[in-house]
Amino acid sequence: MKIIVNRIIVKATCPYCGCLCDDVEVTLEDGEIYSIKNACPLGRMKINSATSNVRNLKYLIKSGNDKIEVTVDEAVEETANLLLSADKPILYGWSNTSCEAQRLGLKIAKILRGVWDNTTSVCHGTAAIATAESGIPSATLGEVKNRADLIIYWGSNPLEAHPRHFKRYSYYSKGRFVSNNARRKMIVIDVRETSAARLADKFIQVKPNSDYKVISTLHHIIKFGEPPERKAAEVNINDLMEAAKLIKEAKFGVVFFGLGLTMTGYGYCNLDALYSLIRELNRFSKWVTIPMRGHYNVTGANIVASYMTGFPFAVDFSTGKPYYNPGETTIIDLLYHNECDLLMSVAADPLGTLPGEVVSKTIGMKIIAQDPFPTPTTEAADIVLPTLICGVETGGTAYRMDGVPIPLKPILKSRLNLLSDEELLKKILERISWRR
Amino acid sequence: MDILIENGVFVERIKGRDPIVINAERKVILPGGVDLHSHFAGSKVTLGRLLRPEEHRLRHQFGNSGNHIGTGWATPTPFLCGYLYSKLGYAKIVEPAVPPLKARHTHEEMRGIPYMDKMSLLLLGNSWIIMDLIAQKRLKLLEKYVLWVLWASKTYGIKLVAPGSGEAWAWGKSITHIDDEIPNFSITPKDIIYNLARVNKEIGLKTPVHLHTNNLGSPGNYQTTIDSLKTVENLGLRDGDSPFIIHLVHAQFSSYKGDSWKTFSSGSEEVAAYINSNSHVSFDLGQIIFSNTTTMTADGAWQYNLYRLTGGKWINNDVENETASGIVPYTFKRKNYVNAIQWAVGLELALLVKDPWKLAVTTDHPNGGVFTSYPVIIAWLMNKKFRERTIEKINSKAKHIIILPSIDREYTLFETVIVTRSAPARIMGVKDGATIGIGKEANLAIYDLGDPERDLGENPVKLIKGLSSANYNIKNGLIVMKNGVPVQDFNGVTYYSGGVNESEELTELVDYYFKEYYTVEKENYIVQKGEVMHPVNVLEEVFK
């Protein structure tokens, strides 16, 4: 007996982390995923989630203590009702969806005189603030691949969080002027000995929340050749002296920084200090710094918000015009001070990720949750809007951690009869515009 | 006299009934303006926004009605950009610096700019593929590649920014002489300028190569500029509307004498003399306006110098295998010696070059100042007294060494129309879009500039006010703006060039670079037509 199988290979852009690997190949057999090539375990999991049973399948509206199933049009109508009757809604999330959806979200927030914030607020927002403070010397990842002879990871562990970063863009990649990793050196700076640290030429362990002092001390050593007189940082000075030597020998250096710098003590000052160090290093040779962005399109969220409104996140439209003041218009501060009466979450899970004190303030607030997967937020929501998985079941545009735009592709046709984020938001925008 | 428009074009008689009638008696009717050099969309503009939230707090020039969002000064949001240009009476604008890898970003923003037709220029002056092909003397393949990469990025023409210097800057170095060898590539900036100007002519692009010279911004650079222009002298002229072989962008920034900031002086006479005696060069001004702005260019090394001079904010963003870029906020001050001379150099160039068809008014927005300042430049060109009033206020040392006070020429209104409409349209190869003639695209701006019987240059305040806000802007026969208020939504077309050449050699070449050096797949590098607002290819799509 001969079994005929209908197998095709589709190219995919992985919608998991900020690496946005676009060389993934998925083999489909009769429309189902047969195998996945070139993806890391995280990406594989995301792509496979299309066939998972753990999905939001139905449009739900809360009625008493239960949620009842409704049609898409009823759900859109009810969403518009809640949004229009809210005094100051906040639309939050946006990092796990396409730029097209992000743009629509901004337009909805604008019409409603609400707030549009994204997950940058609780991850790399401080890096955006520091960029506004002093600017950032940066480059695309290919510059690192082709030129970098010294790579520093600071407060990030790529092997766990961005598994293909090493191979595609940095330490293990091959480039024009650096043919293999024997010609690259790596320094890892972290609070614990991570898996990446074990591969490094130099690992420097720092005390939690001491990064600002360590950067400043390193800056001093590089500028004056010796550590500052008063020992500021609780770090092994010999380690820093050795690192400074490697740094000064490099022809092209890069610092990749993660949440270990952006969300620890001293906040944006860490980045301000880092950028200042990088500027100093450009007097000797070429140095750049690139953020290790988490969600696959969090960079896109910042770019879209920047060109639409002038501000990268935390955009408050309550005066009718865009206003931005992190610490005031960011989700944590708004919720904590009870300033918003409605939370709409799109492709994010604020109730599962924000601090408990803030989450407790959402009790009594109206919540709308748009997400392909069940989360604590969809659990608590008054309206649940299921969608297709962006980058797996639908396409769009996303920006990689270095600001390179890459198309997202629908890998397979969903078995679920749902809309994409973009299509659903378009319906909501139309409904709101028409009702106003 | 009546001007009749139907179905988007000028016609001899109207067939339909009940046409809209506009009484433009005693008004000035001009073709829609053409800005051939303005950084209004894409990666670096958005980085400029990120660098300067303060700028977006300052200005809310637009009413922000409905879901339209408008903020910003040097880097207005796309909607505000289209609105401001339309208010100014413009119809076509050119984004002059697109890194191929980020072309998708530029198109994403350009889609949000209403009213305008858009074109964009592709940064090819530091491209590895191009430098390698020149070094290997594979010049036929170079032609095919240029066509392919223009097609892939859906851009219109070639831009060279400090050729070779961007590659040097990738190592933290710069190139100051066009005969110096580019690190790791056995060619010179001169080779790039010559070969791409030649390719440009061969493949019949509609606009010449746009050149941002090496050493831009530095004292003594006028010699580099003239040397660069001489490089392509023997290529002859191009066929078609735009005969020029090279377009010198923001010439003001490339026309300085002196050997330090202390001895800095104007090189406008030498550059203008060269342009007057040669027919292969067109240029735009890059006039500076005394104000604060956000400078942004692919000339990364220069931006680093500017950062070191100002000690302020600095963004650098190099793009793999293709280009450098940098962003630095800057304030041009009247009392600053160098700034005062820069201001004079731009106007001197405009007044010393005899043929207005060779030049276009620009500020290199936002580098020299914002595009909404164009009416002020027109007033300076039309009125010597108005120039003198500004000269009185500038740095006193500069006042005595510039030649501007000795120039008596005043532009006629007709000449200002050439340098803001006809000449830039001709240089860009879209002449028909800026001509009032039967069958031509109906793009019109109607201004109230006072009594047309009198010399309009006489009253610069009235002139500036009138030119700053058109009574009507008519785009493709539709009234899109009336007295500064949008009348209806309209999206213009996006012109692009290039084509796919069915060549194994080309496929092999491009595939190699993507496999070895790029960090994206080739198929994701190509911008699809569906990602572009109303795409129009001005060349053949497929070559055999």
Side-chain angles (χ1 to χ4, degrees):
Chain A
M1 195 173 86
K2 200 176 170 193
I3 301 169
I4 297 166
V5 282
N6 179 15
R7 232 179 246 177
I8 54 162
I9 297 173
V10 292
K11 290 290 264 307
T13 303
C14 173
Y16 191 86
C17 79
C19 283
L20 212 62
C21 301
D22 67 340
D23 60 339
V24 174
E25 284 177 11
V26 181
T27 306
L28 299 176
E29 189 175 286
D30 293 327
E32 300 282 329
I33 296 169
Y34 174 76
S35 67
I36 303 171
K37 205 175 129 191
N38 293 343
C40 70
L42 299 172
R44 205 174 284 272
M45 184 186 74
K46 179 76 185 268
I47 294 165
N48 273 322
S49 66
T51 52
S52 159
N53 289 326
V54 190
R55 285 284 295 268
N56 290 326
L57 305 170
K58 297 164 183 165
Y59 299 94
L60 300 173
I61 293 179
K62 202 178 239 176
S63 164
N65 286 332
D66 296 325
K67 286 191 180 118
I68 52 166
E69 186 183 347
V70 294
T71 65
V72 57
D73 290 333
E74 286 166 339
V76 166
E77 181 68 31
E78 186 58 18
T79 301
N81 280 343
L82 285 193
L83 286 172
L84 287 168
S85 57
D87 198 34
K88 185 170 180 175
I90 178 163
L91 281 65
Y92 174 80
W94 308 108
S95 301
N96 280 319
T97 188
S98 65
C99 295
E100 289 78 2
Q102 292 161 355
R103 262 201 301 279
L104 289 165
L106 278 158
K107 289 185 174 180
I108 293 172
K110 165 72 175 64
I111 292 182
L112 296 169
R113 297 193 165 217
V115 180
W116 185 97
D117 196 8
N118 70 65
T119 58
T120 302
S121 206
V122 294
C123 61
H124 278 259
T126 50
I129 296 168
T131 301
E133 193 78 11
S134 62
I136 176 171
S138 196
T140 66
L141 291 164
E143 287 292 278
V144 176
K145 169 188 160 86
N146 286 304
R147 302 180 201 269
D149 54 355
L150 179 58
I151 293 165
I152 300 177
Y153 283 97
W154 199 316
S156 83
N157 181 12
L159 291 181
E160 309 277 341
H162 301 85
R164 296 187 76 219
H165 197 264
F166 260 36
K167 183 147 188 292
R168 270 176 71 76
Y169 311 121
S170 80
Y171 191 50
Y172 288 145
S173 67
K174 289 179 192 162
R176 182 160 184 159
F177 302 112
V178 195
S179 49
N180 59 54
N181 74 317
R183 300 185 55 191
R184 301 191 203 268
K185 289 203 160 40
M186 178 164 68
I187 302 174
V188 170
I189 302 168
D190 215 318
V191 293
R192 65 181 75 83
E193 194 182 6
T194 60
S195 45
R198 287 192 278 278
L199 297 169
D201 295 271
K202 184 85 207 143
F203 167 56
I204 299 174
Q205 190 156 10
V206 296
K207 293 235 162 77
N209 301 322
S210 73
D211 303 84
Y212 177 76
K213 292 177 189 166
V214 176
I215 298 170
S216 307
T217 309
L218 186 60
H219 195 145
H220 193 283
I221 293 171
I222 282 163
K223 196 160 182 177
F224 302 107
E226 55 185 20
E229 272 177 32
R230 221 177 331 160
K231 195 177 152 199
E234 295 167 36
V235 65
N236 186 329
I237 290 294
N238 285 337
D239 278 353
L240 281 191
M241 294 289 279
E242 280 174 42
K245 187 166 174 287
L246 289 176
I247 285 169
K248 280 194 135 177
E249 283 167 4
K251 282 203 187 78
F252 186 112
V254 57
V255 178
F256 290 111
F257 62 91
L259 292 184
L261 266 196
T262 63
M263 278 292 137
T264 54
Y266 297 90
Y268 83 90
C269 295
N270 288 340
L271 287 314
D272 207 9
L274 175 67
Y275 299 168
S276 168
L277 172 64
I278 300 290
R279 283 197 297 274
E280 172 75 20
L281 291 172
N282 272 290
R283 294 167 67 125
F284 308 110
S285 52
K286 181 75 177 193
W287 275 83
V288 299
T289 180
I290 301 174
M292 298 288 283
R293 304 305 300 267
H295 298 300
Y296 72 87
N297 198 22
V298 63
T299 308
N302 300 146
I303 285 174
V304 169
S306 290
Y307 74 67
M308 291 277 289
T309 70
F311 308 118
F313 64 103
V315 189
D316 184 342
F317 293 99
S318 50
T319 63
K321 291 163 183 176
Y323 170 71
Y324 161 77
N325 190 19
E328 180 193 348
T329 58
T330 25
I331 183 163
I332 289 194
D333 308 274
L334 289 169
L335 294 185
Y336 189 73
H337 295 115
N338 300 312
E339 285 195 35
C340 291
D341 55 346
L342 183 147
L343 167 65
M344 178 166 177
S345 158
V346 177
D349 178 22
L351 267 55
T353 53
L354 295 179
E357 282 169 80
V358 174
V359 173
S360 66
K361 301 272 187 175
T362 62
I363 297 168
M365 272 177 76
K366 291 289 181 198
I367 298 174
I368 302 166
Q370 175 172 327
D371 206 301
F373 305 106
T375 63
T377 310
T378 55
E379 194 60 33
D382 297 271
I383 302 176
V384 179
L385 304 169
T387 56
L388 298 174
I389 307 168
C390 189
V392 180
E393 295 166 330
T394 70
T397 310
Y399 285 76
R400 201 167 66 184
M401 56 169 71
D402 57 350
V404 173
I406 296 176
L408 300 165
K409 295 165 194 164
I411 299 170
L412 50 84
K413 195 174 173 332
S414 177
R415 66 206 150 92
L416 306 172
N417 183 24
L418 296 174
L419 300 176
S420 66
D421 283 322
E422 187 187 348
E423 290 162 333
L424 193 56
L425 289 165
K426 201 177 276 173
K427 273 181 180 281
I428 294 170
L429 176 62
E430 273 165 16
R431 198 70 202 138
I432 291 171
S433 310
W434 184 78
R435 291 266 300 269
R436 267 184 101 89
Chain B
M1 182 191 153
D2 290 339
I3 296 176
L4 305 175
I5 298 169
E6 193 168 39
N7 296 328
V9 292
F10 296 109
V11 292
E12 258 172 294
R13 67 175 64 84
I14 288 184
K15 295 194 186 97
R17 287 182 183 179
D18 300 329
I20 300 168
V21 178
I22 297 171
N23 181 358
E25 207 177 337
R26 306 186 72 76
K27 301 269 172 30
V28 173
I29 304 176
L30 305 181
V34 179
D35 191 346
L36 59 58
H37 196 106
S38 166
H39 301 268
F40 54 76
S43 171
K44 66 189 173 326
V45 183
T46 281
L47 285 168
R49 294 175 180 123
L50 196 57
L51 187 66
R52 307 197 67 190
E54 71 273 18
E55 189 201 82
H56 295 262
R57 288 208 181 94
L58 274 174
R59 299 271 168 159
H60 297 290
Q61 301 185 355
F62 179 69
N64 282 280
S65 66
N67 59 20
H68 297 146
I69 305 165
T71 65
W73 163 248
T75 53
T77 56
F79 187 84
L80 183 60
C81 173
Y83 164 79
L84 290 174
Y85 264 117
S86 193
K87 190 175 163 210
L88 209 56
Y90 274 58
K92 294 179 193 292
I93 54 179
V94 181
E95 159 58 56
V98 182
L101 184 63
K102 292 183 171 180
R104 179 169 281 109
H105 183 162
T106 308
H107 285 293
E108 192 175 310
E109 285 189 31
M110 290 206 299
R111 279 206 306 267
I113 299 175
Y115 315 125
M116 298 291 119
D117 291 337
K118 282 140 290 197
M119 284 163 267
S120 53
L121 304 176
L122 196 62
L123 292 165
L124 295 180
N126 293 282
S127 153
W128 283 4
I129 301 188
I130 283 174
M131 292 193 295
D132 284 340
L133 288 175
I134 293 172
Q136 295 158 8
K137 301 209 163 32
R138 295 162 81 187
L139 301 177
K140 271 287 155 203
L141 190 55
L142 178 64
E143 289 175 14
K144 290 176 187 169
Y145 173 69
V146 170
L147 279 167
W148 180 83
V149 75
L150 285 167
W151 169 83
S153 56
K154 303 292 177 281
T155 50
Y156 186 80
I158 301 173
K159 171 81 176 295
L160 306 179
V161 173
S165 184
E167 174 57 27
W169 174 243
W171 298 110
K173 301 181 171 72
S174 70
I175 288 185
T176 51
H177 203 275
I178 58 167
D179 285 315
D180 288 350
E181 195 167 286
I182 300 159
N184 304 308
F185 292 83
S186 52
I187 58 164
T188 64
K190 204 182 237 177
D191 294 328
I192 300 175
I193 298 169
Y194 177 81
N195 278 292
L196 283 180
R198 192 190 56 75
V199 164
N200 185 302
K201 186 182 179 189
E202 287 297 318
I203 63 181
L205 296 183
K206 303 289 180 193
T207 189
V209 162
H210 289 233
L211 175 70
H212 161 133
T213 61
N214 293 74
N215 279 340
L216 179 131
S218 308
N221 63 10
Y222 84 98
Q223 196 57 52
T224 313
T225 304
I226 292 174
D227 289 346
S228 304
L229 300 177
K230 276 186 180 159
T231 301
V232 294
E233 256 176 22
N234 68 354
L235 285 172
L237 294 182
R238 290 156 21 94
D239 302 330
D241 288 344
S242 174
F244 309 106
I245 208 82
I246 200 154
H247 177 81
L248 176 65
V249 299
H250 37 73
Q252 176 275 126
F253 287 112
S254 300
S255 306
Y256 306 143
K257 284 204 284 200
D259 47 25
S260 71
W261 295 115
K262 279 195 174 149
T263 58
F264 186 87
S265 65
S266 167
S268 58
E269 279 178 294
E270 286 77 0
V271 173
Y274 182 84
I275 293 170
N276 278 333
S277 56
N278 285 277
S279 52
H280 67 291
V281 183
S282 60
F283 73 103
D284 62 88
L285 291 187
Q287 176 62 36
I288 70 150
I289 306 294
F290 296 116
S291 63
N292 177 269
T293 191
T294 309
T295 70
M296 50 186 67
T297 164
D299 192 346
W302 165 247
Q303 289 300 81
Y304 180 68
N305 289 340
L306 194 60
Y307 148 67
R308 294 294 301 275
L309 283 171
T310 59
K313 300 183 187 187
W314 170 53
I315 281 183
N316 182 74
N317 207 305
D318 301 339
V319 178
E320 62 207 55
N321 324 341
E322 289 175 351
T323 181
S325 81
I327 303 157
V328 178
Y330 192 80
T331 304
F332 290 102
K333 297 177 184 145
R334 281 198 293 256
K335 295 296 181 196
N336 176 301
Y337 170 69
V338 172
N339 294 164
I341 289 178
Q342 289 180 306
W343 171 78
V345 169
L347 295 177
E348 285 165 9
L349 282 169
L351 295 164
L352 291 174
V353 169
K354 290 178 193 131
D355 181 0
W357 284 95
K358 284 184 174 178
L359 74 114
V361 165
T362 68
T363 54
D364 185 17
H365 168 87
N367 287 309
V370 296
F371 63 79
T372 46
S373 312
Y374 291 171
V376 184
I377 300 175
I378 300 301
W380 278 324
L381 293 177
M382 286 182 75
N383 186 323
K384 183 166 194 262
K385 282 203 189 95
F386 186 56
R387 293 201 290 269
E388 281 166 353
R389 268 163 54 191
T390 309
I391 293 171
E392 275 167 29
K393 292 185 225 157
I394 66 171
N395 177 288
S396 52
K397 191 180 154 204
K399 202 185 296 182
H400 297 295
I401 70 159
I402 54 174
I403 56 162
L404 187 60
S406 67
I407 304 175
D408 292 329
R409 180 175 171 195
E410 288 181 339
Y411 269 50
T412 61
L413 182 68
F414 189 66
E415 283 172 322
T416 68
V417 177
I418 294 175
V419 296
T420 55
R421 269 97 178 150
S422 321
R426 177 168 171 244
I427 294 165
M428 290 310 298
V430 291
K431 209 175 77 184
D432 285 358
T435 309
I436 302 179
I438 302 303
K440 308 279 194 246
E441 217 175 272
N443 303 327
L444 281 185
I446 304 176
Y447 300 96
D448 181 359
L449 303 180
D451 186 352
E453 308 293 322
R454 298 183 53 163
D455 177 7
L456 293 173
E458 235 171 53
N459 185 346
V461 176
K462 176 106 188 146
L463 179 71
I464 292 168
K465 199 166 165 252
L467 285 174
S468 295
S469 183
N471 291 142
Y472 286 90
N473 189 331
I474 297 170
K475 179 80 189 71
N476 291 69
L478 299 171
I479 301 169
V480 292
M481 190 75 72
K482 192 175 167 182
N483 296 321
V485 179
V487 176
Q488 61 181 306
D489 287 341
F490 178 81
N491 286 307
V493 300
T494 308
Y495 294 107
Y496 71 99
S497 305
V500 190
N501 202 304
E502 291 168 0
S503 149
E504 262 178 47
E505 200 187 8
L506 177 70
T507 309
E508 208 175 279
L509 170 89
V510 175
D511 286 354
Y512 176 81
Y513 281 81
F514 277 93
K515 184 166 164 283
E516 299 295 327
Y517 305 143
Y518 277 99
T519 56
V520 299
E521 298 289 298
K522 184 170 92 174
E523 64 177 71
N524 293 329
Y525 184 85
I526 299 168
V527 177
Q528 303 298 328
K529 270 180 165 177
E531 299 178 88
V532 180
M533 177 61 79
H534 303 154
V536 175
N537 192 345
V538 295
L539 293 182
E540 293 285 332
E541 192 82 21
V542 180
F543 294 83
K544 288 199 176 155

